[in-house]
Amino acid sequence: MEEISIKELIKSLLGIKEKSLEEFTPEEIEFFKDILALRDFAVSDFLIPRNQIDAIDEDLTWEDIKDYVIKHPRTYYPIYKGTLDHYSGYISLKDLVRGFSASFFNWKDFVKPPLTLPENLPIFKAMEKLKERDLKLAFVVDEHSELTGIIRIKDIFEYLLFSPAKCFRVDPEGWIKIPATTKLHLLEKCLNIGFPEGDYDTLSGFIIFHLDRIPQKGEKLSLPPVEVEILDADERKIKEVRLRKIS
């Protein structure tokens, strides 16, 4: 989209005069471009797959929940009964910590109700629904109404706020150390690269798709547009990598 089109849209949305638009810095214009780019994203683009979710079974004892949270610290935890397919909402770490000093805590009083979204829903509409219900997390289902994962509002804001200056810490040789679950669109934005299209949206998915296997710890791979070193992995998944773009 042309920059003038963006300015016209800003003018229309904010009701400001044309001369005021010249006060926007190039960085602010880029931010507005990123907002507009969200029109091309669906819920699935920000999905955390179900096999990567740390969630709490509501039948656990309070002591077991505390142990689980200590071992798996997360901002929010989906709540389920038996299996993730029977999800009942989510709870924040902040609310769980309220009762950490007690031997008994009625934590279920703090569980937020579930919001279920289809994975092909435009992300703008998903954000509207989250805002309407004042929720920070939603459960995502496919066309068969089967749970595929979750989305978090914080991941959408991360996409908007990330810039090369605020992205991953790069060492003198150009390497960054990141979780294998990092979304490709964040890497594309931060490193100014483009990944080939495929049936994946995370770095882990990209690597496994092209290797057709899970690599072992210590392997070094050249997968344009990046080269990767596997820092941590097991037989089920890649956990952490070191990566830099190919010049």
Side-chain angles (χ1 to χ4, degrees), residues 21-33:
L21 293 169
E22 302 307 319
E23 299 174 10
F24 283 103
T25 65
E27 291 77 15
E28 289 169 329
I29 292 297
E30 285 303 313
F31 179 72
F32 283 115
K33 284 182 179 179

Side-chain angles (χ1 to χ4, degrees), residues 44-60:
S44 57
D45 290 307
F46 292 90
L47 183 75
I48 298 174
R50 64 178 293 164
N51 65 352
Q52 296 173 12
I53 296 173
D54 289 316
I56 294 173
D57 189 329
E58 65 181 48
D59 289 334
L60 290 177

Side-chain angles (χ1 to χ4, degrees), residues 3-4 7 16-26 28-29:
E3 183 172 305
I4 187 64
K7 287 186 174 182
I16 58 180
K17 296 180 180 178
E18 180 66 33
K19 63 179 181 180
S20 302
L21 293 169
E22 302 307 319
E23 299 174 10
F24 283 103
T25 65
E28 289 169 329
I29 292 297

Side-chain angles (χ1 to χ4, degrees), residues 57-76:
D57 189 329
E58 65 181 48
D59 289 334
L60 290 177
T61 67
W62 176 233
E63 290 301 320
D64 286 340
I65 290 174
K66 288 193 288 185
D67 287 343
Y68 184 84
V69 168
I70 290 169
K71 293 175 183 176
H72 305 276
R74 295 290 182 267
T75 308
Y76 301 104

Side-chain angles (χ1 to χ4, degrees), residues 3-217:
E3 183 172 305
I4 187 64
S5 302
I6 294 169
K7 287 186 174 182
E8 288 300 325
L9 181 60
I10 297 168
K11 175 185 175 183
S12 131
L13 290 175
L14 303 183
I16 58 180
K17 296 180 180 178
E18 180 66 33
K19 63 179 181 180
S20 302
L21 293 169
E22 302 307 319
E23 299 174 10
F24 283 103
T25 65
E27 291 77 15
E28 289 169 329
I29 292 297
E30 285 303 313
F31 179 72
F32 283 115
K33 284 182 179 179
D34 289 336
I35 292 176
L36 292 176
L38 284 178
R39 295 179 305 176
D40 299 325
F41 287 103
V43 163
S44 57
D45 290 307
F46 292 90
L47 183 75
I48 298 174
R50 64 178 293 164
N51 65 352
Q52 296 173 12
I53 296 173
D54 289 316
I56 294 173
D57 189 329
E58 65 181 48
D59 289 334
L60 290 177
T61 67
W62 176 233
E63 290 301 320
D64 286 340
I65 290 174
K66 288 193 288 185
D67 287 343
Y68 184 84
V69 168
I70 290 169
K71 293 175 183 176
H72 305 276
R74 295 290 182 267
T75 308
Y76 301 104
Y77 297 88
I79 305 300
Y80 67 95
K81 186 176 180 65
T83 71
L84 270 175
D85 294 301
H86 302 124
Y87 56 87
S88 57
Y90 75 91
I91 191 168
S92 70
L93 174 62
K94 180 177 68 175
D95 286 331
L96 286 170
V97 168
R98 295 172 189 261
F100 259 45
S101 61
S103 58
F104 174 81
F105 180 57
N106 197 8
W107 60 272
K108 292 182 182 179
D109 287 347
F110 297 94
V111 174
K112 301 287 187 183
L115 170 64
T116 303
L117 302 174
E119 59 184 5
N120 61 353
L121 184 73
I123 199 63
F124 267 142
K125 291 189 178 295
M127 292 172 70
E128 288 175 4
K129 291 180 180 294
L130 285 161
K131 183 180 178 182
E132 285 171 5
R133 297 181 56 176
D134 192 26
L135 298 174
K136 303 296 188 295
L137 179 151
F139 296 86
V140 181
V141 296
D142 61 17
E143 68 272 18
H144 305 295
S145 296
E146 294 181 356
L147 181 72
T148 57
I150 59 172
I151 62 165
R152 304 176 301 187
I153 198 75
K154 85 180 198 71
D155 295 321
I156 303 169
F157 288 138
E158 254 182 23
Y159 170 80
L160 292 174
L161 296 174
F162 264 42
S163 68
K166 298 177 182 176
C167 282
F168 313 101
R169 182 175 297 176
V170 181
D171 72 15
E173 296 182 345
W175 292 94
I176 59 175
K177 186 185 295 186
I178 55 174
T181 53
T182 300
K183 295 287 188 179
L184 294 182
H185 59 72
L186 285 180
L187 286 170
E188 289 178 326
K189 183 176 181 181
C190 287
L191 303 181
N192 193 27
I193 56 177
F195 287 90
E197 293 188 6
D199 189 21
Y200 44 77
D201 60 1
T202 65
L203 180 59
S204 176
F206 170 72
I207 295 170
I208 294 171
F209 178 86
H210 286 282
L211 294 182
D212 198 28
R213 62 179 175 84
I214 296 174
Q216 296 181 350
K217 179 179 178 180

